[in-house]
Amino acid sequence: MSEHTPTQLPITPELQSLAARLLKLDDLLISCMRCGFCLATCPVYGATMKEADATRGKIALLEYLSHHMTNDAEAVYDKLGRCLLCGSCQTTCPSGVRIMDIFLHARGIVRDYLGLSSTEKFIFRGLLARPGLFNALLGISAKFQGLFVKEADAALGTSKAPMFSSFIGERHFPRLASEPFHSKTPSLDEAAGSSGLRVAFFPGCVTDKIFPSVADATLKILRKHGVGVFLPDNLACCGIPALSGGDISACQTMIRHNLNLLRPGKFDYLITPCATCASTIKEYWPKVSEGFAPADQELIRSLHDKTTDITAFLTDVLKVSLPVREGGGKRVTYHDSCHLRKSLGVFSQPRAILKSLPGFEYVEMAEADRCCGSGGSFTLKHYDLSKNIGQRKRDNIAAVKPDTVAAACPACMMQLMDMLSQNGDAMKVRHVAEMYAETL
Amino acid sequence: MPINPALAKEFENVVGKEQVFTEEADLQSYSYDAAVLAPVRPAIVAAPTTQEQLCKTVRLAYENGLPITVRGSGTNLSGSTIPQGNGIVILTNRVNKILEINEEDLYAVVEPGVITAQFAAAVAAKGLFYPPDPGSQSVSTLGGNIAHNAGGLRGLKYGVTKDYVMGMEVVDYRGELIKTGSRTVKYVTGYNMAALMAASEGTLGVFSNIVVKLVPPPKASKALLAEFDDVNKASETVAGIIASHVVPCTLEFLDNNCIRYVEADTKAGLPVDAAALLLIEVDGGHTQLVEEDADKVMGVCRKCGSTNIRVAQNAEEKFKIWEARRNALPALARAKPTTVLEDATVPRSQVPAMVAAVNAIAKKYNLEVGTFGHAGDGNLHPTILCDRRDKEEFARVEAAVDEIFDVALSLKGTLSGEHGIGKAKAKWMEKETNRATIEFNKNLRLALDPKMLFNAGNKFV
Ligand SMILES: Cc1cc2nc3c(=O)[nH]c(=O)nc-3n(C[C@H](O)[C@H](O)[C@H](O)COP(=O)(O)OP(=O)(O)OC[C@H]3O[C@@H](n4cnc5c(N)ncnc54)[C@H](O)[C@@H]3O)c2cc1C
Ligand code: SF4
Ligand code: SF4
């Protein structure tokens, strides 16, 4: 390898220390062989066809930043942000590059150098890490939203808020629930039921505040199958918004808060209806637990083994018999949430459940495992891009003409509702758990 | 070198503001491809979306003397899309429509940025078959495939990309569209320029609309895996199969090192003591024919001393048999940070000599290597595993690669079977040919590109 193109920008001591911190990722970065295979599955690249939006581009830029071949940290951070952290690239990568590790740490390191914006500080540190305040604020918003949102699509139950379009864009979003799950069911501490199992229940923010019916359905399933539930009061966010925003320390605060609540309850599994929470607890908590007390690290390790999503719990642990139903009915298709399929390897389980539902006919859509474009806070920062990615998902859905689109992640459900509503599609978006619970 | 803003504006007028990139981070992201070579940041990048914009972009760049690098998906392994520092990268990935799939006359018309696998799937959906299947097909463009004459696993029976190019429109240095070839099976009207464009590596012009040939798909296939305790026996088997007048659609080879890497990575139960594995698939229009061919192949394997043969009885077993080959590159790539994927190709009968030489060279330079490849084509991929940050080691890698080329040429082989020359191997071209050949090709190039702006520094230098 000969000399590289020299950089244009002056190297300050701060940049030097940024590069030095990024160099810690060098052993991970070097394993990218620039084959470009990730371009085939990266949804952001698929939408923009820009190399810097693809995994390969981001990894190259990080390597250049750490070797002073470019010094535009802000631009690199901006590119890093154009990523759904969907993990599609990692499942495609022949070289086994630990891409998600690279991105999460790099976001933290570059963010440290650039500093958090005051809004981000308020959200990550002030709000998400303090569930009481977060809940109270959203409670107020839920009461007043009726004043300014109007119905957009009756079948989907979405609303739009033209008055507020300047800051939420033309998004069609489901209303905040009038009564979030936690107000109705703040905590539970049941003994193991007939199954002999007791589980911790982690509803997750979106389920709690937007889809409480998903949490109710999950509880119904657990009870019907004789599973005792432990739900500590005041659980905080799983931490992924802070982590993806590069605020690792806020994420660690949320994790510690949750660990303290989960520690006393003896349970066999931790169950969530949210694919994102499941993958965060299982995959990311261990990765950011450096410096935690040994007891906390131990708990995180055991949560890694115990955490699973409700659909996999039903099929793999409870081993519920799910005979395939013939005889047609309403058409239902399934969208694979990235966090479920790519992080946890769960994809046959929700399909098996759907295929067993009476009155439904299961149809598989094309590219069912292609990202819907939601990516948590990604959709807030890059709505147009998110919409562009979502449109491809919507077109694949529309092509199989379903009555219902099922998913097993509330964040994906929001995105699907938005996309379908924007296209005026009269279809329902439902969680697999809700549909199954109805049969009980 | 930063671009003159007025000129950047002119490119914006041609393709739209959003489709011209001049920011540092964007430029840096077009500084590399899949070759292990130093990156070079271009001065500007333009991304036309239509044929008309493509022509105008080329014209504007040429008039202004900008060195031009055409880029599809940037997956080539020879550095042929690493641009010039004062040059322009013209992206073709947004000129990507399938214009026609003609089921009656068995051809398709595509724009250059169409992704190979997506095209093959669209063709398959119509009940037809586009055979060229390079390992990078999920991401490579058809334009890039033609510019490198990409091969794949099916090369032995079905040929390579050039065998499917019937005609095309080429954007010349003036930005004019040159037409060559046709939609007919036969064509003698002009020079066969479509053939000249195959493997031209972006040095002669830019392919725009391309006419490719389609064929009916095979109706049956059968895959088998044969183990050998001696590379020579595997090679005799390959010769024996061809001599028995069976042409398998795939005839792939893994050497002992490669088998070990795959087994270490996947624990799939591969025979780690075998000197070589052959993965063979026969296909055809009729199940009985395919069964007969498979029997013949098995007979040859046995006669040549295969120690174990596994035949796939169903699709699942076939998938399993191919697993070893599918995992060859991933297993090698995961073993060490840097993967130098070579491409030396020799006459089929020289495969054992080549494999022995590669292993001797690796030993001499104290390097790790695994070899797999297309045994039926004599196209081997000796893959050297290293860490490009280790300068001393990388110098040994470069010396080893040089020696591998020397051996390939001495065995009457060629520098590259499918990955191309690009920047990586340009200095070797004279050794494979002679000075007169280089001069001749340069003259040809000058006739089509008087300022030598199309991928300067590549292929013939
Ligand atoms: C892991 C891996 C496996 C691979 N396996 C194979 C394999 O099995 N077989 C094989 O043959 N190759 C293989 N390759 C090499 C590479 O993928 C192919 O050469 C492929 O054809 C390149 O396509 P691309 O779209 O990425 O082209 P690029 O890399 O973008 O460009 C390649 C060349 O084509 C030129 N070009 C692109 N578009 C045009 C156009 N419209 N007009 C004129 N010139 C153009 C460029 O200037 C450049 O010279 C592999 C590469 C990798 C990384
Ligand atoms: S697929 Fe993996 S190795 Fe290939 S370019 Fe992407 S990140 Fe790098
Ligand atoms: S995580 Fe998803 S969006 Fe981000 S680079 Fe990988 S594939 Fe692209």
Side-chain angles (χ1 to χ4, degrees):
Chain A
M1 307 270 295
S2 46
E3 277 317 297
H4 307 292
T5 324
T7 181
Q8 296 170 317
L9 297 161
I11 301 173
T12 60
E14 290 77 22
L15 267 170
Q16 242 151 10
S17 95
L18 167 69
R21 286 188 67 196
L22 281 175
L23 264 181
K24 296 213 177 86
L25 299 177
D26 209 44
D27 283 338
L28 299 182
L29 292 169
I30 193 79
S31 58
C32 168
M33 57 175 174
R34 306 279 191 273
C35 67
F37 283 18
C38 44
L39 273 60
T41 50
C42 174
V44 182
Y45 178 78
T48 67
M49 308 291 278
K50 271 178 94 165
E51 178 79 23
D53 284 338
T55 327
R56 178 172 66 171
K58 292 167 190 153
I59 291 181
L61 285 172
L62 279 172
E63 193 186 319
Y64 297 171
L65 191 59
S66 66
H67 290 273
H68 292 301
M69 285 154 63
T70 178
N71 282 333
D72 194 346
E74 203 140 351
V76 175
Y77 187 73
D78 179 57
K79 304 293 181 197
L80 282 181
R82 295 165 67 83
C83 166
L84 294 138
L85 296 174
C86 67
S88 305
C89 45
Q90 190 156 313
T91 24
T92 321
C93 176
S95 195
V97 181
R98 283 159 51 200
I99 301 166
M100 295 301 106
D101 287 6
I102 293 176
F103 286 168
L104 286 174
H105 284 110
R107 283 179 180 207
I109 294 168
V110 185
R111 203 70 195 123
D112 272 357
Y113 165 79
L114 296 171
L116 283 180
S117 77
S118 51
T119 331
E120 284 167 318
K121 269 190 200 139
F122 171 69
I123 295 179
F124 300 149
R125 301 186 176 178
L127 214 51
L128 295 183
R130 288 151 76 187
L133 179 61
F134 182 32
N135 288 334
L137 271 179
L138 283 180
I140 296 171
S141 325
K143 291 213 174 59
F144 290 101
Q145 64 181 348
L147 294 178
F148 53 78
V149 292
K150 65 175 194 229
E151 204 165 75
D153 187 318
L156 288 161
T158 55
S159 318
K160 56 186 170 192
M163 266 173 65
F164 285 80
S165 63
S166 58
F167 90 101
I168 56 166
E170 293 301 320
R171 199 176 269 101
H172 291 190
F173 55 90
R175 290 160 185 247
L176 287 169
S178 53
E179 188 180 26
F181 173 73
H182 70 262
S183 332
K184 214 165 48 173
T185 318
S187 66
L188 292 166
D189 195 358
E190 306 167 350
S194 59
S195 67
L197 295 174
R198 179 173 132 101
V199 302
F201 179 48
F202 195 97
C205 303
V206 184
T207 309
D208 181 61
K209 289 159 187 76
I210 306 224
F211 300 112
S213 61
V214 171
D216 291 337
T218 309
L219 284 184
K220 181 174 172 192
I221 295 171
L222 294 172
R223 288 186 177 132
K224 281 278 178 187
H225 290 288
V227 180
V229 179
F230 165 62
L231 169 68
D233 191 10
N234 211 22
L235 279 172
C237 165
C238 67
I240 194 69
L243 195 55
S244 63
D247 194 348
I248 293 181
S249 100
C251 174
Q252 289 170 328
T253 308
M254 295 176 217
I255 297 175
R256 284 203 180 90
H257 173 101
N258 288 328
L259 289 178
N260 289 335
L261 294 174
L262 290 168
R263 183 171 290 108
K266 291 205 175 353
F267 49 88
D268 305 297
Y269 291 92
L270 183 145
I271 303 298
T272 161
C274 176
T276 305
C277 294
S279 84
T280 307
I281 296 172
K282 211 174 166 70
E283 306 299 327
Y284 294 136
W285 283 15
K287 287 182 178 151
V288 292
S289 62
E290 210 177 301
F292 277 34
D296 281 351
Q297 296 206 353
E298 180 53 39
L299 183 52
I300 287 178
R301 265 194 298 278
S302 87
L303 288 174
H304 167 82
D305 297 332
K306 287 179 178 174
T307 300
T308 185
D309 108 289
I310 180 68
T311 66
F313 182 68
L314 254 181
T315 57
D316 304 352
V317 180
L318 295 176
K319 304 214 184 300
V320 172
S321 136
L322 297 165
V324 178
R325 302 258 177 177
E326 309 288 349
K330 292 211 179 285
R331 291 165 73 82
V332 58
T333 189
Y334 175 72
H335 159 69
D336 281 296
S337 152
C338 295
H339 290 137
L340 208 51
R341 183 168 185 138
K342 287 153 197 151
S343 313
L344 306 184
V346 173
F347 57 93
S348 61
Q349 297 91 328
R351 286 180 171 79
I353 296 172
L354 292 172
K355 285 176 187 168
S356 77
L357 296 179
F360 284 97
E361 180 195 346
Y362 180 77
V363 283
E364 183 78 17
M365 70 172 98
E367 302 188 321
D369 67 346
R370 198 160 171 108
C371 182
C372 65
S374 157
S377 38
F378 175 86
T379 160
L380 298 175
K381 280 197 191 138
H382 303 286
Y383 184 55
D384 283 344
L385 200 46
S386 163
K387 210 164 125 177
N388 187 336
I389 298 168
Q391 187 63 33
R392 177 158 168 178
K393 174 58 64 181
R394 179 267 161 193
D395 293 345
N396 280 323
I397 292 174
V400 295
K401 302 192 173 57
D403 301 292
T404 304
V405 187
C409 176
C412 295
M413 287 168 65
M414 277 178 74
Q415 169 79 349
L416 296 174
M417 283 181 164
D418 184 11
M419 290 306 123
L420 295 171
S421 178
Q422 302 266 358
N423 284 274
D425 299 319
M427 298 167 201
K428 290 201 181 96
V429 175
R430 306 202 65 197
H431 196 289
V432 179
E434 287 179 287
M435 298 179 70
Y436 176 75
E438 264 168 22
T439 68
L440 297 174
Chain B
M1 208 205 287
I3 190 87
N4 165 0
L7 183 54
K9 189 105 196 80
E10 282 188 62
F11 281 108
E12 288 179 7
N13 292 339
V14 171
V15 295
K17 197 166 162 38
E18 299 283 296
Q19 316 281 17
V20 174
F21 315 137
T22 51
E23 300 282 329
E24 156 92 359
D26 282 317
L27 296 178
Q28 290 282 11
S29 73
Y30 294 103
S31 65
Y32 54 77
D33 52 30
V36 190
L37 292 173
V40 178
R41 182 186 51 214
I44 186 168
V45 178
T49 51
T50 63
Q51 185 179 55
E52 193 193 340
Q53 289 182 1
L54 187 61
C55 292
K56 286 186 176 160
T57 309
V58 171
R59 177 185 309 156
L60 186 57
Y62 210 91
E63 280 172 2
N64 286 280
L66 297 184
I68 296 171
T69 303
V70 187
R71 182 179 173 108
S73 290
T75 67
N76 77 86
L77 292 153
S78 58
S80 65
T81 48
I82 296 179
Q84 305 282 322
N86 58 346
I88 182 169
V89 171
I90 300 180
L91 301 178
T92 60
N93 65 352
R94 293 173 211 203
V95 195
N96 60 359
K97 282 194 273 304
I98 299 175
L99 301 172
E100 181 185 359
I101 296 179
N102 192 312
E103 295 164 72
E104 277 191 333
D105 294 327
L106 301 190
Y107 68 80
V109 186
V110 296
E111 292 188 328
V114 170
I115 304 295
T116 316
Q118 290 177 10
F119 174 63
V123 167
K126 302 243 171 182
L128 291 170
F129 187 33
Y130 177 71
D133 58 342
S136 52
Q137 59 178 329
S138 65
V139 51
S140 69
T141 62
L142 289 168
N145 288 168
I146 297 173
H148 269 301
N149 190 13
L153 297 185
R154 303 194 183 107
L156 181 59
K157 177 171 176 178
Y158 290 99
V160 294
T161 305
K162 74 166 165 41
D163 300 309
Y164 293 84
V165 182
M166 296 170 72
M168 63 168 83
E169 294 172 348
V170 185
V171 185
D172 79 351
Y173 70 94
R174 302 163 302 172
E176 300 288 346
L177 276 180
I178 306 306
K179 300 186 186 217
T180 171
S182 84
R183 286 162 168 73
T184 53
V185 175
K186 296 162 123 183
Y187 161 83
V188 293
T189 331
Y191 294 124
N192 188 356
M193 283 203 297
L196 178 63
M197 292 299 152
S200 64
E201 300 184 12
T203 61
L204 300 180
V206 186
F207 322 144
S208 182
N209 296 351
I210 303 158
V211 186
V212 296
K213 181 170 92 179
L214 306 176
V215 296
K219 296 199 172 56
S221 66
K222 190 137 199 163
L224 58 97
L225 183 151
E227 295 170 20
F228 296 88
D229 57 10
D230 180 345
V231 181
N232 281 302
K233 291 180 186 168
S235 174
E236 282 160 21
T237 305
V238 172
I241 293 171
I242 309 273
S244 74
H245 294 180
V246 177
V247 185
C249 61
T250 25
L251 218 177
E252 293 292 297
F253 166 90
L254 269 70
D255 84 340
N256 174 268
N257 283 344
C258 191
I259 298 168
R260 284 170 189 274
Y261 280 111
V262 175
E263 184 54 22
D265 193 50
T266 61
K267 317 249 175 330
L270 291 179
V272 289
D273 295 327
L277 288 183
L278 286 182
L279 291 135
I280 309 166
E281 185 164 327
V282 286
D283 70 359
H286 200 289
T287 312
Q288 202 185 333
L289 260 172
V290 169
E291 290 291 339
E292 282 169 18
D293 280 355
D295 284 346
K296 266 196 205 164
V297 168
M298 263 185 289
V300 176
C301 290
R302 268 191 225 107
K303 203 172 116 227
C304 296
S306 167
T307 45
N308 189 20
I309 304 174
R310 261 169 55 204
V311 184
Q313 300 302 345
N314 52 40
E316 201 177 313
E317 284 181 28
K318 182 168 148 186
F319 187 81
K320 195 110 195 98
I321 279 190
W322 278 107
E323 203 159 26
R325 175 60 178 85
R326 265 198 309 278
N327 286 322
L329 182 62
L332 293 165
R334 283 160 201 244
K336 284 263 190 137
T338 307
T339 312
V340 177
L341 185 56
E342 274 312 331
D343 183 34
T345 302
V346 291
R348 220 179 273 142
S349 61
Q350 300 295 340
V351 166
M354 191 70 216
V355 172
V358 165
N359 289 335
I361 292 166
K363 195 158 178 200
K364 172 174 164 192
Y365 289 100
N366 189 21
L367 293 168
E368 288 184 49
V369 69
T371 301
F372 63 97
H374 319 301
D377 316 338
N379 183 354
L380 295 176
H381 295 308
T383 305
I384 305 177
L385 313 178
C386 55
D387 184 335
R388 66 181 147 94
R389 293 170 297 186
D390 181 341
K391 299 239 153 43
E392 183 275 325
E393 183 191 51
F394 207 77
R396 280 185 279 127
V397 173
E398 288 178 315
V401 169
D402 282 355
E403 253 180 64
I404 290 176
F405 290 156
D406 263 336
V407 175
L409 294 182
S410 74
L411 295 172
K412 305 238 175 320
T414 177
L415 296 170
S416 172
E418 54 185 23
H419 293 171
I421 299 303
K423 293 178 183 56
K425 299 178 194 168
K427 64 171 180 174
W428 282 85
M429 285 297 278
E430 190 170 340
K431 201 156 187 177
E432 178 166 338
T433 56
N434 56 24
R435 193 65 225 155
T437 308
I438 306 293
E439 298 297 336
F440 180 90
N441 279 289
K442 271 176 130 173
N443 286 337
L444 175 75
R445 214 170 147 169
L446 277 171
L448 301 183
D449 171 10
K451 297 189 202 164
M452 282 285 248
L453 294 176
F454 281 126
N455 232 356
N458 284 269
K459 197 103 173 162
F460 297 100
V461 292

